[in-house]
Amino acid sequence: MKRWPLLLPFLFAVAPTLTLYASNSGQTEFSATLFPMGVSLALTLVLLPLCVVVFRSPLRGAVALSLFWWVAFSYGHAAAVIGKYPVAGHNPANAKVLLPLTCLLLVAGGVLIRRARSEPVLLSRALLVVSVSMLGASLITVARVGASRQPFDRASVVPDEALVAGSVARKPDIFYIIFDRYGSNVTLTRRYGYDNTPMLDHLRARGFYVADDSRANYLVTAQSLASSLNMAHLLPLSEVIGRESEDWLPVFDLLADSRLRRFLADQGYRYVHIGPKWAPTTHSPYADRNVRYSAVPEFTRMLISTTMFYPVLYRLGLDNQDLEKFRRVQYQMDVLAGLPAREPEPLFVFAHFLMPHGPYVFNRDGSYRLPEVANVHDEPTNFVEQVAYLDGRIRALVDSLLASYPADNPPVVVVQGDEGPYPARTQPHSFDWQTATNEELSEKMRILNAIHAPGCDDRFYPSMTPVNTFRILLNCYFGTALEPLPDRSYSYRDQKRLYDYFDVTERVEAGVADGD
């Protein structure tokens, strides 16, 4: 027997990972594939000899294991297609039905391969064509994306200005806390019928300045945070990367190694990073401490969710992403509230919570919102339950942080939304934001923005935006001489044209009046 068929299961073990990477290469580093491919190859190395023994033939064993990998990794994609065609009002892709059928087919196929009179030569050749085609298509896609990727120099975005500390009276601990998709009071009231005034009043009573007319500078998390952390607008990316680009990696690079982080590191700050499961902010290689909850990378979890193993893991609670989020938020909130005041070493804490961003896993009393409960309620109802819980946690968090510091050395605490919630019809990634109404743009761009910075209140104003947050704070506490940037808001066209920016500031403001 020729030895090439023994390579088949190894090809099928890595092809699905590379296929997933190819479809996400504009927002994922290749290094994210190494762990899942390593695990798949290691399992193949163990299983192949066992299959050879069970099927009494190297060729039969290799073919059987190849088919197993192909079916195992294709399960989620097949279920998504099958689920579009209900049978008698029931979902045929329900794991209670589809998974046993899949296992039955695999067993039946294995029996046929083992009992066949002749070796499965033709089948092995067909599988070779399939695996090479999958790998070839993935490599072509990756090469195309790589060829279209423009060289990126972060200096092209960061303003050409001096960032030098002047007279520094004290170096306060700084907490930059992001609540993802937390919109303004106007947005919450109009869309969800929820009034968060009690929470805002609580913050004001604790010395926070609440910028009631604040807007995000950019439409989505990555661009919004890249702008605020670098204290810069991202408009140069339109020319440097190209308006037609769908490459997220330059923005992720700005997120990872921000201008703010560098400045505070030079000032002797210790950096604590608290991130969600979202890969760009899940951890920081520059942090002195990363507060993690799950060690499984986002890309690996995406891959697992497409396999036949996922329903079993979910059932066992090992990869239940809703439950994982519920536990992660509670754990990381508790860690954040318990971070001690550190003297003389100042502390910079960046904390990003996917809250009130879905999935909706909290009831307002803090209990777990079961998926079967969330599924029978509409999105506004689920959102209100989650944001009501979050408001209570924000109040408790703020009280805990402020109580940890002496009156003569209070911390700086910035509580911000990075973007507002998505209006109902704008969810698809292909949505052209130039067609959005003023009211939809207002809903998406108006955000929560509250800052506790004793001695700096006279520098704040109702319409301030995140791009100026740390320009103001660094000027106030470190004596820098940063000029304010225009408080403008920008949207991209769609996710195929990430840097095709257009100014929506006036339309966001008009959207408030349109909704009255």
Side-chain angles (χ1 to χ4, degrees), residues 64-274:
L65 185 54
S66 299
L67 287 171
F68 171 76
W69 283 135
W70 191 12
V71 171
F73 281 107
S74 301
Y75 175 89
H77 303 292
V81 174
I82 294 171
K84 296 179 180 179
Y85 305 97
V87 176
H90 297 284
N91 182 7
N94 188 310
K96 294 180 180 179
V97 176
L98 188 59
L99 185 58
L101 284 178
T102 302
C103 293
L104 186 61
L105 287 173
L106 283 172
V107 171
V111 171
L112 289 174
I113 291 172
R114 190 175 189 277
R115 292 185 177 181
R117 293 183 178 181
S118 59
E119 295 278 275
V121 176
L122 289 178
L123 182 55
S124 68
R125 291 173 180 170
L127 289 172
L128 179 63
V129 171
V130 170
S131 62
V132 171
S133 298
M134 292 171 63
L135 291 169
S138 299
L139 293 175
I140 290 172
T141 300
V142 171
R144 177 182 59 79
V145 173
S148 65
R149 181 168 288 151
Q150 300 298 317
F152 173 63
D153 180 5
R154 58 186 299 111
S156 63
V157 175
V158 175
D160 183 16
E161 60 185 352
L163 181 54
V164 180
S167 176
V168 181
R170 71 183 185 96
K171 296 180 179 179
D173 284 4
I174 300 173
F175 294 83
Y176 188 27
I177 307 171
I178 298 295
F179 293 109
D180 209 298
R181 297 187 187 171
Y182 200 121
S184 69
N185 178 265
V186 172
T187 295
L188 299 185
T189 303
R190 286 181 178 172
R191 177 169 175 181
Y192 300 104
Y194 178 80
D195 184 2
N196 71 338
T197 299
M199 188 272 288
L200 298 179
D201 287 344
H202 185 91
L203 294 182
R204 291 188 181 97
R206 299 301 185 273
F208 279 75
Y209 180 89
V210 178
D212 289 313
D213 297 325
S214 187
R215 292 171 274 103
N217 296 106
Y218 293 89
L219 190 72
V220 291
T221 298
Q223 294 181 347
S224 179
L225 293 181
S227 173
S228 62
L229 288 167
N230 286 281
M231 302 171 283
H233 278 298
L234 307 182
L235 300 183
L237 292 176
S238 296
E239 302 303 323
V240 176
I241 307 301
R243 290 182 177 275
E244 303 296 312
S245 176
E246 53 186 303
D247 183 7
W248 283 103
L249 296 185
V251 173
F252 293 168
D253 180 63
L254 289 168
L255 263 178
D257 188 16
S258 70
R259 194 178 183 213
L260 176 64
R261 182 206 67 79
R262 291 185 178 194
F263 175 82
L264 293 177
D266 290 343
Q267 297 300 311
Y269 273 72
R270 181 171 181 265
Y271 176 21
V272 176
H273 186 99
I274 302 175

Side-chain angles (χ1 to χ4, degrees), residues 7-18 36-45 65-66 69-70 73 131 135 303:
L7 294 175
L8 281 176
F10 293 96
L11 297 178
F12 276 99
V14 301
T17 302
L18 292 177
M37 283 200 298
V39 172
S40 298
L41 289 173
L43 287 173
T44 303
L45 200 61
L65 185 54
S66 299
W69 283 135
W70 191 12
F73 281 107
S131 62
L135 291 169
L303 183 65

Side-chain angles (χ1 to χ4, degrees), residues 3-62:
R3 295 189 178 276
W4 66 260
L6 294 177
L7 294 175
L8 281 176
F10 293 96
L11 297 178
F12 276 99
V14 301
T17 302
L18 292 177
T19 299
L20 182 63
Y21 170 69
S23 63
N24 291 275
S25 55
Q27 51 187 313
T28 305
E29 297 282 2
F30 181 76
S31 58
T33 68
L34 300 181
F35 176 71
M37 283 200 298
V39 172
S40 298
L41 289 173
L43 287 173
T44 303
L45 200 61
V46 172
L47 293 174
L48 183 56
L50 297 176
C51 289
V52 169
V53 172
V54 170
F55 289 91
R56 299 180 297 187
S57 160
L59 180 57
R60 293 173 195 259

